[in-house]
Amino acid sequence: MPLIDDDGNLFGAVNVIDAIVVVVLLAVVVAGIAVVAALGGGESETRYATIELENQPDYVVERMDEGDVATFDGSEDSITVTDVQITPSPADEGNSSQPDVTIRAEVDGERIEDEDREEDRFQVAGNPLMLGNEIQLNMGTYTTTGTVSDLGQEGETLSDAEATSTTRAAVELENVRPSVADGLGEGMTETMRGETVATVEDVESEPASVVLQSEDGNIYEREHPQNRDVTMVVELQTTETETGIEFRGERLGVGSSIVLNFDGMNVQGEVSAVE
């Protein structure tokens, strides 16, 4: 029997053109499988990251909590919040502003072999997890976007604290409006997620000073007709780290700036003494 008969059939049964089409389709399918295998095929892995979320509205901060899980459409990868740290933004003339939030997260992703790099590439939902990368988090009840600032190990917390304690500090507020000075009082507290982190123990105020220059060029120091200088003694919930005492993840020492929020009153001052 000839290989191709007079009717153009292969072995007298299959048309040659049909056979070529089948071969081409098989080649495309095999190539597609190879591409999928090259792109995927990574090993599931868990890593840990610190993500900075700046200027978060109050309704997001109130919902944010340990155990929140971000999921991604079309992927089994996820990001789980393991630690939350909230830092009020600097005050603007006593007005409150949106706080900054830092979270520690457990990232369930995939490790992919990268022939162009000495190390394998770790990705979540197809996006590489690298320092400086922006990542969107859909937590179900809220959505937010942050920047990866650190990659670490399991069990690490945001503060890396060796011990938790309380620290008394004197805080100087200069040239504040009368409404702010009069609104501060002993016993006021700042709470975060139901936990007291700062308590006012004592408040003293005096007229603020202003420096004036006369027409003849002389410099004079005079009392401000309204504004006050305030000194507060506050008890702070702090952590002791290898580098010193920290309050809300920031170094606490003489000369350092501190932001406190008492019942919606946001104030910023300078630490003048630490006990």
Side-chain angles (χ1 to χ4, degrees):
M1 178 183 293
L3 182 64
I4 301 177
D5 61 19
D6 294 336
D7 295 326
N9 293 324
L10 186 65
F11 298 115
V14 180
N15 186 276
V16 173
I17 295 177
D18 292 339
I20 292 174
V21 171
V22 171
V23 171
V24 171
L25 289 175
L26 287 174
V28 171
V29 171
V30 171
I33 293 174
V35 170
V36 172
L39 294 176
E43 297 183 8
S44 297
E45 189 170 298
T46 299
R47 296 192 182 182
Y48 300 85
T50 300
I51 303 173
E52 306 289 344
L53 314 172
E54 296 183 352
N55 299 324
Q56 296 299 306
D58 291 338
Y59 59 83
V60 170
V61 175
E62 291 173 359
R63 288 170 172 79
M64 197 170 295
D65 202 356
E66 296 176 15
D68 289 352
V69 179
T71 57
F72 303 89
D73 293 338
S75 173
E76 295 182 358
D77 296 346
S78 64
I79 295 179
T80 303
V81 177
T82 61
D83 196 7
V84 179
Q85 186 177 88
I86 302 170
T87 304
S89 297
D92 179 11
E93 296 184 356
N95 296 324
S96 61
S97 54
Q98 293 181 338
D100 296 334
V101 180
T102 303
I103 64 171
R104 189 71 177 165
E106 179 180 284
V107 183
D108 292 325
E110 195 174 35
R111 179 169 56 84
I112 305 296
E113 292 186 5
D114 193 334
E115 297 180 355
D116 297 329
R117 300 175 56 190
E118 295 182 359
E119 298 181 355
D120 294 342
R121 175 165 51 90
F122 181 77
Q123 63 183 31
V124 55
N127 299 309
L129 187 73
M130 302 172 62
L131 295 177
N133 276 16
E134 190 174 84
I135 189 166
Q136 187 172 32
L137 304 174
N138 183 352
M139 300 294 189
T141 58
Y142 63 90
T143 300
T144 185
T145 301
T147 302
V148 179
S149 62
D150 186 40
L151 300 172
Q153 304 297 321
E154 181 179 5
E156 289 183 348
T157 64
L158 290 170
S159 63
D160 259 342
E162 296 178 354
T164 302
S165 61
T166 56
T167 302
R168 296 177 75 247
V171 180
E172 306 289 342
L173 312 177
E174 295 185 352
N175 200 33
V176 299
R177 295 175 300 168
S179 59
V180 175
D182 295 340
L184 295 170
E186 182 179 340
M188 296 182 70
T189 60
E190 175 181 348
T191 60
M192 279 189 177
R193 314 173 76 79
E195 184 176 3
T196 300
V197 297
T199 303
V200 178
E201 295 187 343
D202 187 44
V203 179
E204 295 182 0
S205 69
E206 59 183 16
S209 297
V210 292
V211 177
L212 304 175
Q213 184 174 4
S214 63
E215 294 182 357
D216 56 8
N218 292 323
I219 303 297
Y220 300 95
E221 184 178 8
R222 296 288 185 267
E223 290 185 357
H224 193 283
Q226 291 184 317
N227 290 353
R228 312 282 293 176
D229 287 340
V230 179
T231 300
M232 296 190 303
V233 177
V234 293
E235 183 181 80
L236 307 173
Q237 184 184 82
T238 56
T239 52
E240 298 176 10
T241 71
E242 293 180 355
T243 58
I245 299 174
E246 293 185 357
F247 175 64
R248 285 205 228 92
E250 299 290 334
R251 181 72 180 273
L252 183 70
V254 175
S256 60
S257 179
I258 187 172
V259 179
L260 299 167
N261 188 313
F262 300 115
D263 299 326
M265 181 186 296
N266 220 30
V267 296
Q268 183 176 13
E270 182 176 294
V271 177
S272 60
V274 176
E275 296 181 8

